[in-house]
Amino acid sequence: MKKRSFRTFWHLFRGYWNSEHKWRARGLLAFVIGLNFASVYLLVRINSWYNEFYNALQQYAQESFWPLVGEFTALAFLYIIIAVYAIYLRQMLQIRWRTWMTDRYLAGWMQHQVYYRLQVLGSDTDNPDQRISEDINQFVSLTLQLLLGFLKQLTTLGAFGVVLWNLSGAFTVPLGSHEFVIYGYMFWFSLIYSILGTVGAHLVGRRLIGLNFDQQRYEADFRFNMMRVRENSESVAFYRGEDAENVGFKERFARVISNYWQLMRQTKLLNFYVNGYAQLAIIVPLVLAAPRYFGGEMALGGLMQTVSAFGRVQDALSYFVESYDTIAQLAAVIRRLSTFTEHMEQAQALEDGVAHEQSTAGESALALAGLDVALPDGRQLMQDCTVTLPAGSSVLVTGASGTGKSTLLRTLAGIWPYGSGQVTIGQGSRALFLPQRPYLPLGSLRRALAYPRTAAGTDEELVTALRDVGLERLVGDLDRIDDWSRILSLGEQQRLAFARVLLVKPQWVFLDEATSALDEPREQEMYELLKKRLPGLSIVSVGHRSTLFAQHEEELHLTGDGSWTLQPIGG
């Protein structure tokens, strides 16, 4: 399990340091490490200063007092500058690493419709938005904090370990007629004390890893539930669903609080242990050094230097004890990111059974060859569909609810992986799919109207499209930034989607109940508008209204058991 955890960490860690930015990243990391080494060197100098300063105080050497104060001031000033820039440059490295990881995860999440396939696969990946925004930030921050802290403490141990060994002298242990001499006894005591402390911290705090993992998940679920209510506020209000939503809020928040109580109790035990361990370490060096001091073998300066050196060695050896809570948080973050990464890789590896190709024949016909459409459980919705729809076709897909009409459109769009066969469309032909509820991105109306294009057309084109679909009242709001899915009714959103068709000018348009919120005269107006503005446009619609038959020439009827029929309407 530990070996697997390390492999998971290494997989997440190594990417940035082997990327195209590796030399800049490694150079900045080396500089930060160098600053930490310099700070340790200054601490060693300050430790030596303790010896001189307290000896001067013991000897009432007033002439040495101010020069030593000046020396300390210079050392402290340098230490402050180095410490500040070590943190500043570490944060700079953190920003760059986080940016790189976020870009990679966003690309992986959006590529090949992974964001959609994760839902199709029914994976247990919860709140991918949190994993990309919060978990990556925590992974980078905690990793750098622990890595640089470990290297600094390792350097501190090497530097002050030598100092403490030399200051400790020898300790004689009488045992019967023999005597055992322990050299550097305070160093050995510190080492044994720290090892026992680290083992104890792990035993006391190991439950924190799972509790931190669950806490992040429960917090994200609670936020997501509130976000869902905000996105569907009108539906909740119509249903008067406040009581039901409150029940949902309380259930999810109860999980947050229940887990947090467990986290608090476990953290309390760990804090008792860590603080007791730290306080005991304060008195121990005084007790150990007291015999040599009172025996006249050590001056006051030597005593204070020994106490300071012991404290530094103890801090270095106790690094994992004091950082256990941070390590537990990092372990939980690694688990969340690793499962998210695994699920994205599974979604990316999911092969499309349906081959999508472009014909070189020159015309924008749509050809289906041996097309099978299935559900994830293997149930066949359509079998061996072989038809050719020439340019300018208008086909209405019909069938009872659950027979696979929308799933057929998903297959034609190339986002449904369960099926086989081949879909061929003319080379260079553009296709646009209109779902029942159009997606309106956050931002200006201009951006919402131009979607999915990244660049809007001219103002004249946008204004004409709005007027054509009866949304002329929005002409003056093109640059207004708002949540347009909240402002516009579903019917207005569907008309806006038709305006997109006019702007994109595709050869094929697929409408999945894209006029369900429009009245019948407005529905007829939208279809006639497409035929008028885009002559030769090919249309495939899914719908239940009988009025749609008048707008199409052929009917593709699905039964849901795999059989299908294609026939002229009215024939």
Side-chain angles (χ1 to χ4, degrees):
M1 182 66 182
K2 292 179 180 178
K3 188 179 293 186
R4 182 176 181 272
S5 299
F6 179 78
R7 284 200 303 266
T8 302
F9 168 78
W10 181 248
H11 178 72
L12 294 170
F13 176 84
R14 66 182 178 181
Y16 178 60
W17 305 100
N18 291 321
S19 70
E20 64 278 12
H21 305 296
K22 61 182 178 182
W23 295 118
R24 181 183 298 179
R26 293 174 184 178
L28 186 55
L29 178 62
F31 193 69
V32 173
I33 292 173
L35 289 178
N36 281 284
F37 288 169
S39 69
V40 172
Y41 170 74
L42 289 175
L43 289 175
V44 173
R45 289 288 306 273
I46 291 173
N47 179 261
S48 299
W49 175 90
Y50 275 119
N51 192 348
E52 297 177 31
F53 183 74
Y54 282 100
N55 282 338
L57 290 180
Q58 187 179 26
Q59 297 165 9
Y60 298 97
Q62 185 177 358
E63 70 280 1
S64 301
F65 179 80
W66 290 112
L68 286 170
V69 169
E71 180 184 349
F72 177 82
T73 303
L75 291 173
F77 180 76
L78 283 174
Y79 182 82
I80 291 170
I81 295 296
I82 289 174
V84 168
Y85 272 95
I87 294 174
Y88 177 77
L89 294 176
R90 187 194 75 191
Q91 291 173 334
M92 181 187 295
L93 182 59
Q94 178 180 331
I95 290 173
R96 292 178 176 176
W97 190 2
R98 180 187 178 186
T99 300
W100 184 88
M101 283 193 71
T102 301
D103 288 344
R104 294 305 180 277
Y105 268 85
L106 283 175
W109 189 48
M110 299 301 291
Q111 195 175 31
H112 304 304
Q113 293 88 37
V114 167
Y115 59 91
Y116 172 73
R117 292 189 175 196
L118 286 173
Q119 298 180 7
V120 173
L121 285 170
S123 73
D124 59 351
T125 298
D126 56 273
N127 307 297
D129 52 313
Q130 182 199 16
R131 303 195 181 200
I132 293 175
S133 63
E134 184 176 330
D135 288 347
I136 287 178
N137 182 38
Q138 285 196 343
F139 173 77
V140 171
S141 174
L142 296 176
T143 298
L144 284 177
Q145 178 184 334
L146 290 169
L147 174 63
L148 293 174
F150 173 74
L151 291 175
K152 182 176 181 179
Q153 296 297 0
L154 188 63
T155 308
T156 300
L157 175 62
F160 282 94
V162 174
V163 174
L164 184 61
W165 181 284
N166 292 331
L167 290 172
S168 298
F171 184 72
T172 302
V173 181
L175 191 64
S177 59
H178 299 281
E179 289 184 346
F180 290 94
V181 179
I182 303 175
Y183 296 95
Y185 69 95
M186 293 184 68
F187 175 82
W188 292 115
F189 180 86
S190 179
L191 179 62
I192 295 170
Y193 184 71
S194 301
I195 291 173
L196 294 176
T198 301
V199 173
H202 176 66
L203 295 176
V204 173
R206 57 186 172 183
R207 284 195 62 216
L208 285 172
I209 296 175
L211 290 172
N212 274 302
F213 178 86
D214 290 337
Q215 188 67 26
Q216 291 179 354
R217 180 161 57 92
Y218 294 148
E219 294 277 9
D221 288 343
F222 181 53
R223 288 196 303 269
F224 181 72
N225 196 28
M226 290 187 287
M227 184 179 70
R228 286 281 296 166
V229 172
R230 186 189 67 186
E231 291 178 344
N232 299 276
S233 56
E234 185 177 19
S235 298
V236 174
F238 270 126
Y239 277 114
R240 298 289 192 269
E242 294 83 6
D243 291 340
E245 294 300 333
N246 263 322
V247 170
F249 289 155
K250 290 177 180 178
E251 287 176 351
R252 285 169 174 79
F253 190 62
R255 296 193 195 109
V256 172
I257 297 303
S258 175
N259 191 79
Y260 194 72
W261 274 109
Q262 296 182 63
L263 195 60
M264 284 172 56
R265 285 191 286 268
Q266 202 64 30
T267 303
K268 179 183 70 174
L269 293 175
L270 183 62
N271 284 335
F272 266 125
Y273 180 84
V274 169
N275 283 287
Y277 175 88
Q279 292 304 311
L280 186 60
I282 294 174
I283 196 66
V284 164
L286 290 171
V287 173
L288 292 177
R292 295 191 66 207
Y293 175 72
F294 289 116
E297 300 177 30
M298 180 184 294
L300 178 61
L303 175 65
M304 299 308 297
Q305 186 183 12
T306 301
V307 170
S308 174
F310 185 91
R312 296 293 180 184
V313 171
Q314 189 61 41
D315 286 344
L317 290 172
S318 305
Y319 180 68
F320 290 106
V321 175
E322 296 171 357
S323 302
Y324 198 88
D325 185 52
T326 305
I327 295 172
Q329 292 180 43
L330 177 61
V333 168
I334 290 172
R335 280 180 59 186
R336 289 176 61 82
L337 281 177
S338 64
T339 54
F340 183 41
T341 303
E342 288 172 6
H343 291 150
M344 285 203 303
E345 290 173 350
Q346 290 172 7
Q348 290 170 351
L350 187 62
E351 296 184 2
D352 292 326
V354 179
H356 290 262
E357 299 181 0
Q358 290 188 336
S359 170
T360 58
E363 60 178 66
S364 58
L366 177 66
L368 313 181
L371 183 64
D372 292 343
V373 180
L375 293 176
D377 60 9
R379 183 165 67 90
Q380 293 290 324
L381 299 174
M382 173 181 277
Q383 288 182 317
D384 196 25
C385 180
T386 302
V387 298
T388 298
L389 304 177
S393 296
S394 56
V395 180
L396 178 63
V397 182
T398 63
S401 296
T403 54
K405 302 184 297 298
S406 296
T407 305
L408 172 60
L409 261 60
R410 296 185 190 111
T411 304
L412 297 179
I415 65 174
W416 188 254
Y418 302 104
S420 60
Q422 181 174 308
V423 175
T424 305
I425 195 170
Q427 189 172 20
S429 296
R430 291 189 301 274
L432 189 63
F433 290 78
L434 271 58
Q436 183 176 8
R437 178 175 287 276
Y439 171 66
L440 304 183
L442 296 175
S444 66
L445 179 63
R446 182 189 303 275
R447 183 182 176 193
L449 186 58
Y451 194 84
R453 299 183 299 175
T454 55
T458 64
D459 284 358
E460 182 180 355
E461 291 175 329
L462 299 180
V463 169
T464 301
L466 286 174
R467 286 176 175 161
D468 283 344
V469 297
L471 295 177
E472 55 275 354
R473 70 178 183 82
L474 299 176
V475 166
D477 294 328
L478 280 174
D479 294 312
R480 176 182 164 191
I481 297 176
D482 215 323
D483 183 0
W484 291 100
S485 61
R486 178 183 56 84
I487 294 173
L488 301 180
S489 68
L490 181 56
E492 289 174 324
Q493 293 178 44
Q494 289 185 342
R495 280 188 278 160
L496 188 70
F498 275 85
R500 288 173 176 169
V501 179
L502 299 179
L503 293 170
V504 174
K505 297 180 177 62
Q507 281 71 44
W508 284 86
V509 62
F510 299 83
L511 300 96
D512 188 4
E513 300 192 55
T515 58
S516 60
L518 303 179
D519 55 73
E520 293 178 1
R522 181 71 77 176
E523 176 185 75
Q524 179 181 350
E525 181 183 331
M526 291 298 101
Y527 272 94
E528 290 178 352
L529 175 65
L530 293 184
K531 295 174 182 177
K532 179 181 178 182
R533 289 281 189 268
L534 301 173
L537 175 67
S538 305
I539 300 175
V540 176
S541 301
V542 168
H544 295 93
R545 285 181 180 172
S546 59
T547 52
L548 288 172
F549 284 94
Q551 306 299 329
H552 299 81
E553 297 174 353
E554 293 181 286
E555 176 189 8
L556 177 60
H557 184 74
L558 307 183
T559 62
D561 60 0
S563 60
W564 54 275
T565 57
L566 177 66
Q567 59 186 7
I569 293 177

